[in-house]
Amino acid sequence: MMKNCFLSSLFIFLFLVGCTSLQQKGEKQFAAGEYQMAIGTFSKVLADNPDNSDANYYVAESYRLSNRIEDALPYYDKLLEEEGSFENYMKKAKSLRDQGEYEAATEAYRQAKEHTTSDSLIALADLGEENMSKIESITDYWPYHELQNYELLNTSGIDYAPVVSEDFLYFTSSRRASGVYPATGQGYTKLYRARANGVKVDVQNIQALPEFRNEENLNQGAIAISPDGNTIIYARGNSLSKKDLPEVNLFISYFRGSGFTDPVWMPVNEDETYWNSTPAFSVDGEVLYFASNRPGGYGGIDLYKATKLANGDFGNPQNLGAEINTPGNEMFPRPVGEQLYFASDGHPGFGKLDLFVAEAKEGKTTITNLGKNINSISDDFGIFFTNFPKEGFLTSNREGGVGDDDIYYFQDNTPKPKVVNVFLNVKTLQKTTEGETVLPSARVALYDSTKQTVGGDFSNEQGRLRFRLEPNADFTLIASKNGYFTKSVPYSTLGKTPAQEDLIQDVTNVTLDTTIVLDKLELEKAIVLENIYYDLDKADIRPDAAIELDKLVKILQDNPEISIELSSHTDSRASDEYNRDLSQRRAQSAVDYIISQGIDKSRLVAKGYGEEQPVIENAQTEEEHQRNRRTEFKVIDIEE
């Protein structure tokens, strides 16, 4: 019995010693940033004791710190079973968000607020909850852009951060790795290049970066190449050697003579303990954009810019501000003209890193998510345009890829609009005693809405000609011929063609018709203006008379070479003197109105004839009197 008790005590002692040694080993691995190893070690502890809070904590944090927070959720749940805390609820919310569980994430943010009285922490949880509410309103920035995995370029490992310079695609990859990075369990990354024409890459001839040597047993990260191709800046770090730098920093290499210099540490890093990475040049090469976790920012990782100094270095780094940076992480900047593209997990997005664009609108910076056709619940980052904004590359570790981070290419597949050809058949006619007859050889000019000539021709012997017009546009047709009044006619194709969504064929022809009737231009020939009425014993221009006089204004505008006499006539049912005075006042009122519309008064003569020139002598009926009460004009001069 004593022997059995001794053996049981010894077994328990050895078990506890074993667990303690495993835990110490795991803690050392975690402290050294060997997160994948720490996960493996603590998983053994949890296999025997699933409720071990320390092991659950270290596994959860190892997943989070190696950018796999979605895998940390069950471990945060275990910790929350024991004791709720603001920090763990916030991490749970992020884990849920990164898996697309938006409602559950919103609830976790609410629970986090119940476990703190700090106004700043509550505001942080409020921001997370607010971001969840904005996801449904995100629309596609480029609705017809389509994303494709560049399967022939990617490997089963890591491939990311593509940039194109001088017909070469440069990118970062763990292919041909000579060692394993213990934080992720993936191979160390190096810089590679391959020839490229736009998004077409020569995947058969990928070579390690030839400008300088990739270093072993550390990660070469994102690369930037100056517009002139003479400067390379890239991120490098994650060495396990105590003799090396403790954090990821930016290094620079210059083209000198026959080759590039050995890369050197950049002063813009400021401190070797700061994380500095994802560099990008401005379009002119005078500004360096990069990401850093240095103190004084707005969150975990912020975006900065530094200007080129006289000695060629980059200095005076400036934080890009609270409109771009958030309490989360912003990285992989890509300036294009007045826009800045970047990746963020702090702005409203679908999951982990999403791609955004910052642009000035109405005096303020607006941040826009590029939408579902570009972003996913996974990491989407590192955009580069080969033909802005229609095609380029980006990186994503979304489901369905070839490996971990994969390179994707995108293209604008906006459907070509179906073509609508509008043909306008014009017929030119003239007024004669027999009615309207064909008028051949009339010149018809076509003007667009900006008064630019877009066509012109003479009508044929049948008085016909044809124009091709744009759909949904306004035009003016001006017809002229010697011996005739020139006439301008507005014409619109608005609403006369099918809508794009109703078109079936790639090309649809629409034929329209219009007629232009010209009047002969004869000196001293009276032309009656219809519907010019005056109130009894008055000479004021009524609104209905103004409409008719506007037609005469148009004739005078179209025919600037003519001068006219405008005459007014009365019937005989008053004294000669009264009728003459009334008709003169009416004629002058009409002339004054025409002058008010911009016609030179030297081209107009007002004449009141009273009852002197009746159309019907000895008028008896009201209809006959009405015909005698008329307003006429006649051309009295034509300038050659």
Side-chain angles (χ1 to χ4, degrees):
M1 184 67 178
M2 284 292 295
K3 181 178 180 182
N4 288 338
C5 289
F6 173 77
L7 288 174
S8 298
S9 300
L10 179 62
F11 176 79
I12 293 170
F13 172 77
L14 292 174
F15 172 77
L16 292 174
V17 169
C19 289
T20 301
S21 61
L22 271 178
Q23 186 139 334
Q24 290 174 340
K25 179 182 179 182
E27 289 175 5
K28 288 180 180 179
Q29 290 167 335
F30 181 86
E34 299 172 353
Y35 302 122
Q36 185 60 35
M37 292 183 176
I39 290 170
T41 300
F42 282 112
S43 293
K44 294 177 182 177
V45 175
L46 291 172
D48 292 320
N49 183 10
D51 296 325
N52 186 307
S53 58
D54 286 340
N56 279 302
Y57 170 80
Y58 282 115
V59 172
E61 287 296 278
S62 292
Y63 277 126
R64 182 181 70 85
L65 294 170
S66 61
N67 195 32
R68 292 173 285 176
I69 192 171
E70 66 275 14
D71 295 327
L73 180 60
Y75 303 95
Y76 286 127
D77 279 337
K78 274 289 186 182
L79 292 172
L80 289 168
E81 285 177 8
E82 290 188 23
E83 181 183 2
S85 72
F86 175 85
E87 182 179 359
N88 284 337
Y89 271 116
M90 288 293 285
K91 290 172 181 176
K92 176 181 179 179
K94 190 173 187 308
S95 177
L96 288 164
R97 186 200 71 169
D98 290 354
Q99 297 176 75
E101 300 288 342
Y102 304 133
E103 290 186 9
T106 300
E107 179 58 29
Y109 282 122
R110 290 172 182 162
Q111 289 176 309
K113 288 185 286 185
E114 296 174 1
H115 289 80
T116 183
T117 58
S118 166
D119 289 342
S120 61
L121 294 181
I122 290 173
L124 199 62
D126 281 338
L127 179 61
E129 187 177 348
E130 181 184 352
N131 285 349
M132 293 298 96
S133 68
K134 293 179 178 179
I135 291 174
E136 286 188 2
S137 63
I138 296 173
T139 58
D140 293 340
Y141 191 72
W142 299 300
Y144 294 104
H145 279 38
E146 293 185 9
L147 204 59
Q148 292 289 330
N149 187 298
Y150 213 127
E151 295 180 356
L152 296 178
L153 176 63
N154 293 310
T155 65
S156 59
I158 298 171
D159 302 278
Y160 76 102
V163 300
V164 175
S165 176
E166 297 180 341
D167 298 326
F168 280 96
L169 172 71
Y170 293 79
F171 63 100
T172 305
S173 177
S174 62
R175 68 190 65 200
R176 307 170 198 164
S178 56
V180 175
Y181 178 40
T184 63
Q186 297 274 6
Y188 282 104
T189 56
K190 297 180 180 180
L191 297 171
Y192 293 86
R193 78 173 192 181
R195 287 201 172 274
N197 180 11
V199 295
K200 296 180 180 178
V201 181
D202 181 7
V203 296
Q204 301 299 321
N205 294 289
I206 297 172
Q207 61 178 149
L209 187 75
E211 284 83 355
F212 50 82
R213 182 175 59 86
N214 282 295
E215 298 188 59
E216 300 295 333
N217 296 319
L218 51 76
N219 286 314
Q220 275 83 189
I223 187 173
I225 303 175
S226 62
D228 61 10
N230 291 330
T231 305
I232 294 176
I233 296 175
Y234 74 107
R236 196 207 80 181
N238 305 132
S239 171
L240 296 180
S241 172
K242 294 182 179 180
K243 297 179 181 179
D244 210 327
L245 297 172
E247 195 43 282
V248 174
N249 280 179
L250 296 174
F251 286 75
I252 190 166
S253 172
Y254 303 96
F255 183 78
R256 295 285 188 267
S258 59
F260 278 82
T261 62
D262 287 335
V264 295
W265 189 84
M266 296 182 68
V268 78
N269 292 304
E270 291 194 349
D271 191 305
E272 63 184 25
T273 63
Y274 300 163
W275 185 93
N276 299 283
S277 188
T278 69
F281 285 96
S282 62
V283 176
D284 60 5
E286 295 299 308
V287 179
L288 174 68
Y289 292 81
F290 65 99
S292 178
N293 68 350
R294 63 191 61 197
Y298 294 90
I301 298 171
D302 280 7
L303 291 178
Y304 291 79
K305 67 177 181 180
T307 54
K308 183 181 283 188
L309 306 175
N311 64 358
D313 288 337
F314 289 87
N316 305 316
Q318 295 178 315
N319 189 293
L320 295 191
E323 289 177 314
I324 290 176
N325 292 312
T326 70
N329 299 301
E330 282 70 47
M331 55 185 73
F332 291 94
R334 180 66 55 201
V336 183
E338 298 298 316
Q339 297 178 319
L340 178 69
Y341 293 83
F342 64 98
S344 170
D345 64 7
H347 291 283
F350 298 108
K352 300 173 85 172
L353 289 174
D354 271 12
L355 282 159
F356 296 82
V357 58
E359 50 195 334
K361 289 184 178 179
E362 299 178 354
K364 62 175 292 187
T365 300
T366 301
I367 310 298
T368 306
N369 187 300
L370 295 190
K372 271 188 177 179
N373 61 336
I374 297 295
N375 292 312
S376 67
I377 64 172
S378 301
D379 283 319
D380 304 286
F381 59 96
I383 195 167
F384 188 93
F385 298 95
T386 55
N387 179 18
F388 178 81
K390 295 184 176 182
E391 69 172 30
F393 297 98
L394 58 82
T395 307
S396 179
N397 63 356
R398 66 187 61 194
E399 187 177 349
V402 174
D404 190 328
D405 290 330
D406 278 0
I407 294 173
Y408 289 72
Y409 67 92
F410 59 87
Q411 292 178 308
D412 181 3
N413 290 327
T414 301
K416 292 182 179 179
K418 292 181 170 62
V419 176
V420 177
N421 295 318
V422 181
F423 297 102
L424 178 63
N425 293 326
V426 180
K427 189 174 184 180
T428 56
L429 302 177
Q430 61 181 326
K431 281 184 180 178
T432 67
T433 55
E434 292 115 23
E436 294 177 354
T437 60
V438 169
L439 179 63
S441 303
R443 168 72 178 173
V444 182
L446 179 69
Y447 295 83
D448 64 16
S449 59
T450 66
K451 299 183 179 180
Q452 298 294 311
T453 305
V454 291
D457 203 352
F458 290 91
S459 59
N460 62 18
E461 288 302 312
Q462 288 76 43
R464 298 183 180 278
L465 68 159
R466 170 180 275 204
F467 292 107
R468 182 173 176 176
L469 309 183
E470 290 293 323
N472 299 312
D474 294 320
F475 302 90
T476 300
L477 295 162
I478 299 181
S480 60
K481 186 175 182 177
N482 287 337
Y484 292 82
F485 284 104
T486 297
K487 190 173 188 178
S488 64
V489 179
Y491 194 86
S492 177
T493 57
L494 288 170
K496 296 177 180 177
T497 57
Q500 274 286 323
E501 58 269 23
D502 296 331
L503 296 172
I504 298 173
Q505 299 176 326
D506 290 338
V507 178
T508 300
N509 293 328
V510 175
T511 302
L512 305 171
D513 298 281
T514 194
T515 300
I516 303 176
V517 182
L518 298 186
D519 294 306
K520 285 188 177 180
L521 177 56
E522 300 178 54
L523 285 170
E524 302 298 333
K525 179 184 177 182
I527 300 174
V528 177
L529 292 171
E530 303 290 347
N531 304 316
I532 302 293
Y533 303 119
Y534 297 90
D535 292 330
L536 180 65
D537 198 28
K538 291 185 179 180
D540 298 329
I541 301 299
R542 293 177 9 176
D544 53 353
I547 293 172
E548 297 304 316
L549 288 174
D550 284 339
K551 296 176 183 178
L552 180 55
V553 171
K554 193 74 173 66
I555 291 173
L556 291 165
Q557 291 172 337
D558 292 341
N559 299 270
E561 74 281 4
I562 68 172
S563 297
I564 68 166
E565 175 191 281
L566 191 144
S567 59
S568 180
H569 303 264
T570 68
D571 60 31
S572 59
R573 292 182 292 184
S575 68
D576 289 351
E577 184 179 353
Y578 175 84
N579 284 336
R580 191 178 299 110
D581 176 69
L582 178 61
S583 63
Q584 182 63 40
R585 285 189 289 117
R586 287 177 172 176
Q588 189 61 53
S589 291
V591 165
D592 290 342
Y593 175 82
I594 293 170
I595 292 171
S596 74
Q597 301 305 301
I599 302 301
D600 192 325
K601 65 181 180 180
S602 66
R603 299 174 60 196
L604 303 165
V605 174
K607 181 68 174 177
Y609 287 96
E611 59 185 80
E612 295 174 10
Q613 299 180 359
V615 175
I616 299 176
E617 297 282 354
N618 302 314
Q620 301 297 317
T621 66
E622 182 58 35
E623 182 180 350
E624 290 173 337
H625 286 303
Q626 177 66 50
R627 289 188 62 189
N628 285 336
R629 295 194 305 271
R630 69 197 186 279
T631 301
E632 299 175 338
F633 78 92
K634 61 184 177 183
V635 177
I636 58 175
D637 186 47
I638 303 174
E639 288 189 3
E640 296 296 333

